[in-house]
Amino acid sequence: MKNNLIYTLIVIISILGYSCGDKDENTTVNKPIIEGVVDNLHAPENGDFVKIKFFKGGQASYTTDPFETEWDIAVRGTMIIVNGGVETGSGNEPKRAPAPSVSAYIDILNMNFNDVSKSPELFNRENWDKAGQPKIPNISGQGWFEDDGTYITPLKDKTIVLRTTDNYYVKIGMYSYYKDAAPPENSSTDDQGYYTFQYSFNPNIGDTKLDD
C-alpha cells in the first residue's frame, strides 16, 4: 500500500513537472521596442532617391546605389516613396518590389509621434504608391510637411507608419528638413534636404505595437 502511494506521487509530480516545462518552452517573450534617430540624411530635390532600410536589429541604413533592392522607403526632396506598388512618375525612381509578399506598406496618421502606440495593419494596395500619386502626399499640409513658400517644416501631428519588406512595423516622426536640424530661419536653401527623424522599430515580426 505504501509503495503504491509513493509510486502514485512520483507519477503525479512527473506529470506536473512535464506540464510546467512544456509551458515554459512554448512561452514567447516579446523583444522591446527599439528607438532610433537618423540625422542629416542628405536627399536634395535635384539628387537621386535615397533608399532607407530598417533591419531586424532596428538599425536604419541608407544608400543611393541603383542596384540595391533591399529598401523600405526612399526620399528625395520632400517626396517619400514606398517599396510597393508602381512608380509615381516623378522620374528616376527605384524599381518597386516584384510581389506583395516582399513589398513594404505605408500610411500617415494624423497623430503626434509620441501618441502613436500601435499601427493599423498595413497589408493592401491602398498602402502603396500609385501612378501620379505617392501614398504619402508630397503636398504642403497633406503629407508630413508644411511649405509656406519660404520654409519647410514638419507637421507635429503627422506620423508615418510602415510595414517593412520583411514584415516589421516602424513609426517615423519627422523632426527637421535642414542641415544639423537648424531652425529654418537660420538656414539657406543650400541647407535644405537634410532629413532628421526619430523612429520606433518593433523587432517582433508582424507585431503592430509601437510603444512599450
Side-chain angles (χ1 to χ4, degrees):
M1 181 72 177
K2 182 177 180 181
N3 288 339
N4 287 340
L5 178 61
I6 292 173
Y7 176 76
T8 301
L9 288 172
I10 291 173
V11 170
I12 291 172
I13 291 170
S14 298
I15 292 173
L16 288 174
Y18 175 80
S19 299
C20 291
D22 187 57
K23 182 178 180 182
D24 290 341
E25 289 176 3
N26 291 327
T27 300
T28 301
V29 178
N30 283 341
K31 300 173 185 176
I33 302 297
I34 299 170
E35 309 286 344
V37 174
V38 169
D39 56 68
N40 278 335
L41 188 159
H42 194 205
E45 188 76 46
N46 59 356
D48 294 324
F49 273 97
V50 180
K51 302 170 185 174
I52 304 172
K53 176 64 186 171
F54 295 92
F55 286 98
K56 184 177 180 180
Q59 303 94 340
S61 69
Y62 35 92
T63 181
T64 57
D65 183 351
F67 300 105
E68 179 58 68
T69 59
E70 293 266 339
W71 60 282
D72 297 313
I73 60 173
V75 295
R76 182 178 67 190
T78 56
M79 188 173 188
I80 298 175
I81 60 174
V82 66
N83 192 3
V86 298
E87 293 185 16
T88 66
S90 68
N92 199 29
E93 295 181 29
K95 290 184 178 180
R96 304 306 201 276
S101 60
V102 290
S103 294
Y105 298 79
I106 200 168
D107 206 348
I108 188 164
L109 307 181
N110 295 317
M111 298 175 66
N112 182 272
F113 180 86
N114 294 325
D115 295 331
V116 176
S117 59
K118 188 176 183 179
S119 170
E121 290 190 11
L122 306 174
F123 59 87
N124 61 44
R125 296 177 184 274
E126 293 303 313
N127 302 115
W128 285 347
D129 294 331
K130 299 177 182 178
Q133 184 181 354
K135 177 58 184 178
I136 306 301
N138 191 31
I139 301 172
S140 176
Q142 296 184 28
W144 64 269
F145 66 93
E146 182 176 28
D147 184 353
D148 65 3
T150 303
Y151 305 123
I152 295 172
T153 53
L155 295 168
K156 293 182 179 179
D157 292 328
K158 295 283 188 178
T159 300
I160 293 169
V161 286
L162 170 73
R163 177 183 146 190
T164 70
T165 56
D166 36 10
N167 199 19
Y168 293 99
Y169 278 82
V170 187
K171 68 174 178 177
I172 299 169
M174 294 298 180
Y175 180 74
S176 177
Y177 186 65
Y178 291 88
K179 189 174 182 180
D180 298 328
E185 59 272 17
N186 295 339
S187 304
S188 69
T189 54
D190 292 336
D191 294 327
Q192 291 183 359
Y194 288 84
Y195 279 83
T196 294
F197 61 83
Q198 60 184 324
Y199 66 90
S200 296
F201 177 93
N202 189 327
N204 305 290
I205 193 165
D207 189 351
T208 60
K209 182 181 176 183
L210 291 169
D211 196 6
D212 286 326

